């Protein structure tokens, strides 16, 4: 496995391996990332994983400085699962000058995560486009746990006609249902025991929808109240259309329930897809 830190070296190395599949990450890798690499590996001649904590997608009060940086452990993990190239640039390499050109994702950047984290999706889309230009992948893999991010990036690829296939991987969960995330390590022991409730609420809501309950607002309010009663600070639990994350009309069948809530310090995200018959 090659560990590469500069764009020049990366381009030189990848000249001889054009058919590569790319997994962008911010490091601190867990089983969820392993799954992304497993999805990538059979789809190309070379699997490239980037590790870069992107300041541009963090708000001023967010955890950029204390976001865990574990490059040595990440590389060991990646080597053991057959990754071919790790691209781990520093900030000067990725942003050699102030980034004045940016990707503006449009109205989707103002709802849900975008409303809670202004500017977040500009930061994500801009760095992913830069990374695509550096790696020039045939395909790239993203995790469905960040559902809105997946949609922002799929829209970017479609609207800008980028020659990259976007592959979405299912969320990996702990045995008790908690979606894996680098931020789970900030949970205290008692918070970790409480954390699976978020997914349980989503499963109950999905069950109610599949059994024909269509009063979305009531179901959303019940789930939000239940979380609050157990010490959570919910930002949203809401039923949306899968295609654009807007509120569904009665005829929409392809839905997703998305949720974000703070439990102590960490803010946890989760979602579950629902197809109505
Ligand atoms: O999902 C992430 O880890 C990040 O948002 C990404 C896609 C690597 C961009 O920094």
């Amino acid at each position: 496995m090659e560990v590469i830190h500069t764009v020049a070296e990366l381009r030189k190395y990848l000249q001889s391996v054009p058919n590569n599949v790319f997994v962008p990450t911010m490091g601190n890798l867990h089983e969820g990332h392993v799954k992304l690499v497993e999805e990538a590996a059979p789809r190309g001649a070379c699997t490239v994983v980037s590790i870069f904590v992107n300041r541009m997608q963090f708000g001023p009060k967010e955890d950029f400085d204390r976001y865990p940086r574990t490059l040595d452990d990440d590389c060991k993990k990646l080597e053991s699962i057959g990754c071919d190239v790790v691209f781990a640039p520093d900030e000067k390499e990725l942003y050699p000058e102030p980034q004045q050109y940016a990707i503006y994702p449009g109205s989707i950047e103002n709802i849900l995560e975008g409303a809670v984290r202004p500017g977040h999706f500009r930061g994500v889309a801009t760095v992913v486009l830069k990374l695509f230009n550096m790696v020039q992948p045939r395909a790239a893999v993203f995790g469905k746990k960040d559902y809105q991010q997946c949609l922002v990036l799929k829209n970017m690829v479609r609207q800008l006609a980028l020659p990259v296939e976007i592959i979405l991987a299912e969320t990996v969960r702990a045995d008790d249902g908690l979606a894996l995330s680098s931020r789970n390590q900030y949970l205290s022991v008692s918070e970790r025991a409480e954390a699976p409730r978020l997914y349980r609420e989503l499963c109950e809501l999905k069950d109610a929808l599949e059994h024909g309950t269509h009063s979305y607002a009531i179901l959303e309010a019940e789930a939000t109240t239940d979380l609050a009663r157990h010490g959570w600070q919910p930002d949203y639990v809401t039923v949306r259309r899968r295609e654009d994350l807007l509120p569904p009309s009665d005829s929409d069948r392809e839905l997703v329930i998305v949720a974000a809530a703070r439990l102590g310090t960490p803010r946890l995200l989760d979602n579950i897809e629902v197809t109505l018959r």
Side-chain angles (χ1 to χ4, degrees):
M1 186 180 82
E2 295 288 319
V3 181
I4 294 177
H5 298 283
T6 67
V7 180
E9 275 174 88
L10 180 75
R11 289 209 164 117
K12 192 160 165 233
Y13 184 87
L14 290 177
Q15 253 168 18
S16 55
V17 258
N19 183 17
N20 77 69
V21 180
F22 180 38
V23 181
T25 80
M26 298 205 299
N28 196 238
L29 305 180
H30 50 65
E31 286 303 306
H33 298 104
V34 170
K35 164 107 175 155
L36 303 183
V37 175
E38 283 170 359
E39 290 283 340
R43 292 183 152 95
C46 171
T47 304
V48 182
V49 175
S50 66
I51 295 181
F52 180 71
V53 185
N54 175 39
R55 188 190 293 272
M56 194 178 168
Q57 70 190 72
F58 286 76
K61 292 193 185 130
E62 293 182 11
D63 55 350
F64 174 77
D65 286 326
R66 62 185 202 109
Y67 197 87
R69 281 132 173 113
T70 52
L71 184 60
D72 290 347
D73 284 351
D74 291 344
C75 287
K76 281 190 202 124
K77 210 169 271 174
L78 288 171
E79 180 134 48
S80 75
I81 57 169
C83 166
D84 300 295
V85 180
V86 175
F87 177 47
D90 66 14
E91 270 197 293
K92 271 264 161 292
E93 185 67 19
L94 216 91
Y95 295 111
E97 54 192 88
Q99 185 72 29
Q100 298 190 20
Y101 286 65
I103 295 292
Y104 292 83
S107 52
I108 193 170
E109 77 161 332
N110 300 319
I111 60 170
L112 303 170
E113 278 311 277
V116 180
R117 306 180 66 188
H120 171 66
F121 289 119
R122 274 173 209 193
V124 170
T126 304
V127 81
V128 169
L129 180 61
K130 287 188 81 154
L131 289 165
F132 280 181
N133 285 334
M134 291 164 183
V135 176
Q136 304 206 346
R138 185 193 71 66
V141 188
F142 296 90
K144 277 195 194 175
K145 183 173 121 8
D146 296 308
Y147 208 90
Q148 194 172 357
Q149 168 170 287
C150 290
L151 218 60
V152 165
L153 296 173
K154 273 171 67 176
N155 291 351
M156 173 177 85
V157 162
R158 197 184 58 252
Q159 292 212 348
L160 298 180
L162 304 180
V164 183
E165 180 194 353
I166 298 291
I167 296 155
L168 302 185
E170 293 303 326
T171 301
V172 179
R173 300 182 180 281
D175 290 344
D176 58 11
L178 177 65
L180 298 193
S181 159
S182 299
R183 291 187 168 105
N184 292 352
Q185 63 194 283
Y186 301 145
L187 295 165
S188 68
V189 175
S190 60
E191 287 162 359
R192 174 62 190 82
E194 169 62 22
R197 186 181 306 279
L198 187 60
Y199 184 55
R200 285 204 302 272
E201 294 287 352
L202 293 182
C203 291
E204 279 170 28
L205 230 154
K206 174 178 165 140
D207 210 45
L209 294 182
E210 284 174 345
H211 283 85
T213 319
H214 281 190
S215 17
Y216 301 142
I218 295 176
L219 294 172
E220 292 167 1
E222 279 171 3
T224 310
T225 310
D226 208 34
L227 286 171
R229 209 177 31 241
H230 288 90
W232 296 70
Q233 292 162 268
D235 285 322
Y236 54 83
V237 179
T238 179
V239 182
R240 295 294 167 115
R241 305 201 306 197
R242 244 183 264 171
E243 57 179 299
D244 53 14
L245 292 179
L246 291 178
S249 64
D250 286 345
S251 59
D252 286 311
R253 293 282 167 268
E254 310 264 285
L255 308 177
V256 59
I257 313 164
V258 285
R262 207 175 277 285
L263 181 60
T265 317
R267 200 167 158 273
L268 305 185
L269 296 189
D270 207 345
N271 64 75
I272 193 167
E273 290 178 329
V274 189
T275 304
L276 299 181
R277 281 197 263 144

